[in-house]
Amino acid sequence: MFENKKVNMAISIVVAALIWAYVIGSINPPAESKFRNIPISLSNTEVLENEGLAVSKVSAEYLDLVLSGSRSDISQLRSDEIRAVVDLSNALEGENEFTIDIHVPDGIEIQQKSISKLVVEVEKIETRTVGVEIVYSGQTQDDSEPKTLSVSQEEVEIRGARSLVNKVESARGTVDITKVSENETSESITLVPVDDSGAQVENVKITPASVTVASVLTHDKTVDLNVRVEDNSENAADKTWTAPDEVVIAGSVGDLKKIDSIDTEIIDISNVTEEAEIEIVPLLPEGVYLSDKNEKLTLTVTVEGDTGEETEKTFSAAASEITFEGAEEGISYALADESVQVTVRGPKDEMEAFRESDVSLSVDVSGLQPGQSQQVSVKAVCSKSGITVSVNPGTVTVTAE
């Protein structure tokens, strides 16, 4: 009796499995599934390029789809078998709207699309040259750092839509610091166009697309910096200067062990007549480099006393700042020029106290009648003594109405 129950139970399980297999395998009911973040690709971009155009912006880069089909087909469908394409053959400069074509395998149907149209902005192509910037990713020990010895190309060409190209600050190549050793290593590095914040600018081509970078892992050492200054001036000015007294150098442990101080190139301040900052150039032995841990190395020169030198300043004055002399009541006057350039020159101490408001500008419109236009000279007067003023252009066109 007990044995019969076990046999019947086993038979029931087998029958149920056969029925389920029949339903799934033979009947294969329909099913739906959602596929997210399907990339939208742009075709025939070369047609645009032949016309001197390029894509600058698209309204979306991905879309979501709900697809249907047999349960077996849907369960086996991969995202890379689904293609969303926009054909740019007929794109024109400006804003374009295109239908997104969806390609799916046979037996699959599209039930829903998160978007059906794509807005594509097209601009004229621009080409220019930018510098190559090499950066390093990863961490090193506190007393070591990677050093770029050479780059196969210091500048590269970038090409793309005008607004995108204008955003690019440099072509950046990133070197994995784990691949840099104390022996010189060379590696081909792919370049990426980046803006002034370091973010990648998409849809901009770089030629060449990669450069060869030679690098070495160096150690750091802080040593004395002997700044050599020379002053052969004969004037009465009292000059003082300040400069860093230490510098961080980088190199192999063996090379650094021999160095306790570094001299600089001689800095001649004989002709310095006002406060100035001058770059310091250390004289480094072969195989030794300046560490990136240094701040900018500069010599600051301060000059006290009268040097007898004159200085000048140029600024822009709007047309609204020019007054009309000899104006008649009931007549309005307008200048064709939007602004003029004003240059003032005088002794240094006077110029330090100068303000743009110290200059007044005017034109004489005496006798100018409505409907007439005339070239008139710009008169400039400075309230500060000892300061000369010049204006460019010296004449402007005035129209009376």
Side-chain angles (χ1 to χ4, degrees):
M1 182 78 171
F2 183 75
E3 291 295 329
N4 287 338
K5 285 185 178 181
K6 290 177 66 177
V7 171
N8 290 338
M9 185 178 294
I11 292 172
S12 298
I13 293 172
V14 171
V15 170
L18 290 173
I19 292 172
W20 179 252
Y22 173 77
V23 171
I24 297 301
S26 300
I27 299 178
N28 200 4
E32 284 188 356
S33 184
K34 189 166 189 176
F35 293 80
R36 299 181 183 274
N37 297 324
I38 303 301
I40 302 171
S41 62
L42 306 177
S43 67
N44 291 316
T45 54
E46 67 279 2
V47 176
L48 279 183
E49 191 163 346
N50 290 338
E51 297 294 327
L53 301 172
V55 174
S56 62
K57 188 179 180 182
V58 293
S59 58
E61 296 182 358
Y62 302 91
L63 81 165
D64 299 336
L65 297 170
V66 176
L67 304 179
S68 66
S70 67
R71 186 186 299 274
S72 60
D73 287 345
I74 287 293
S75 65
Q76 296 173 30
L77 183 60
R78 304 189 312 272
S79 294
D80 60 8
E81 295 179 280
I82 306 167
R83 294 178 58 239
V85 182
V86 170
D87 184 356
L88 299 183
S89 299
N90 298 317
L92 301 173
E93 184 177 357
E95 191 173 281
N96 303 262
E97 185 178 75
F98 296 101
T99 299
I100 303 173
D101 296 322
I102 310 298
H103 303 272
V104 294
D106 293 340
I108 302 296
E109 294 185 359
I110 302 167
Q111 298 300 322
Q112 292 180 25
K113 296 183 282 188
S114 59
I115 56 173
S116 57
K117 301 281 188 180
L118 187 74
V119 177
V120 181
E121 293 185 17
V122 174
E123 297 178 8
K124 289 189 182 299
I125 285 178
E126 185 162 307
T127 301
R128 69 184 179 92
T129 299
V130 296
V132 173
E133 175 193 9
I134 302 300
V135 298
Y136 293 84
S137 63
Q139 297 292 324
T140 63
Q141 296 178 356
D142 290 342
D143 67 340
S144 64
E145 63 180 86
K147 195 72 180 177
T148 301
L149 301 180
S150 66
V151 181
S152 60
Q153 200 152 326
E154 296 291 339
E155 293 183 329
V156 292
E157 181 181 272
I158 59 171
R159 180 178 173 85
R162 179 178 297 161
S163 64
L164 298 180
V165 167
N166 289 338
K167 289 181 181 179
V168 178
E169 183 73 16
S170 64
R172 176 176 291 177
T174 302
V175 179
D176 183 351
I177 206 167
T178 62
K179 297 181 179 179
V180 182
S181 69
E182 294 186 4
N183 297 316
E184 181 179 333
T185 57
S186 293
E187 185 179 0
S188 179
I189 302 297
T190 300
L191 298 175
V192 174
V194 296
D195 61 19
D196 55 7
S197 69
Q200 181 173 350
V201 181
E202 301 288 349
N203 298 320
V204 173
K205 296 180 181 178
I206 298 181
T207 305
S210 62
V211 292
T212 300
V213 180
S215 307
V216 67
L217 190 64
T218 62
H219 293 270
D220 298 335
K221 183 179 180 181
T222 300
V223 298
D224 293 337
L225 182 65
N226 178 26
V227 181
R228 300 187 296 169
V229 178
E230 187 176 274
D231 185 4
N232 297 316
S233 58
E234 297 180 358
N235 60 39
D238 182 18
K239 300 178 189 176
T240 57
W241 55 267
T242 58
D245 55 10
E246 289 184 333
V247 65
V248 183
I249 56 176
S252 68
V253 173
D255 287 338
L256 296 181
K257 189 176 181 180
K258 310 169 189 175
I259 303 173
D260 294 317
S261 65
I262 292 290
D263 290 340
T264 70
E265 291 184 354
I266 295 175
I267 303 174
D268 189 349
I269 62 172
S270 302
N271 296 321
V272 176
T273 57
E274 58 185 19
E275 184 172 320
E277 285 194 351
I278 304 171
E279 181 184 2
I280 294 173
V281 181
L283 298 173
L284 300 170
E286 185 176 354
V288 175
Y289 315 94
L290 273 181
S291 169
D292 293 335
K293 296 177 182 178
N294 289 294
E295 295 182 0
K296 189 177 181 181
L297 296 176
T298 56
L299 175 86
T300 301
V301 182
T302 303
V303 181
E304 298 178 0
D306 183 9
T307 63
E309 292 293 323
E310 288 193 340
T311 60
E312 71 176 30
K313 177 183 179 181
T314 299
F315 62 92
S316 180
S320 59
E321 298 177 57
I322 301 176
T323 60
F324 299 105
E325 295 182 359
E328 296 184 20
E329 188 174 349
I331 301 177
S332 61
Y333 304 89
L335 293 174
D337 302 74
E338 295 183 355
S339 64
V340 294
Q341 296 297 113
V342 180
T343 300
V344 292
R345 184 175 181 82
K348 180 184 174 183
D349 54 348
E350 292 289 340
M351 289 295 291
E352 286 177 349
F354 171 79
R355 300 293 180 267
E356 293 180 10
S357 58
D358 294 331
V359 172
S360 59
L361 303 173
S362 62
V363 292
D364 187 353
V365 295
S366 301
L368 192 60
Q369 297 301 310
Q372 293 181 335
S373 293
Q374 185 174 317
Q375 283 274 339
V376 294
S377 299
V378 181
K379 180 182 177 182
V381 177
C382 182
S383 60
K384 297 284 186 182
S385 61
I387 294 180
T388 59
V389 188
S390 61
V391 181
N392 184 31
T395 59
V396 292
T397 301
V398 180
T399 301
E401 297 177 355

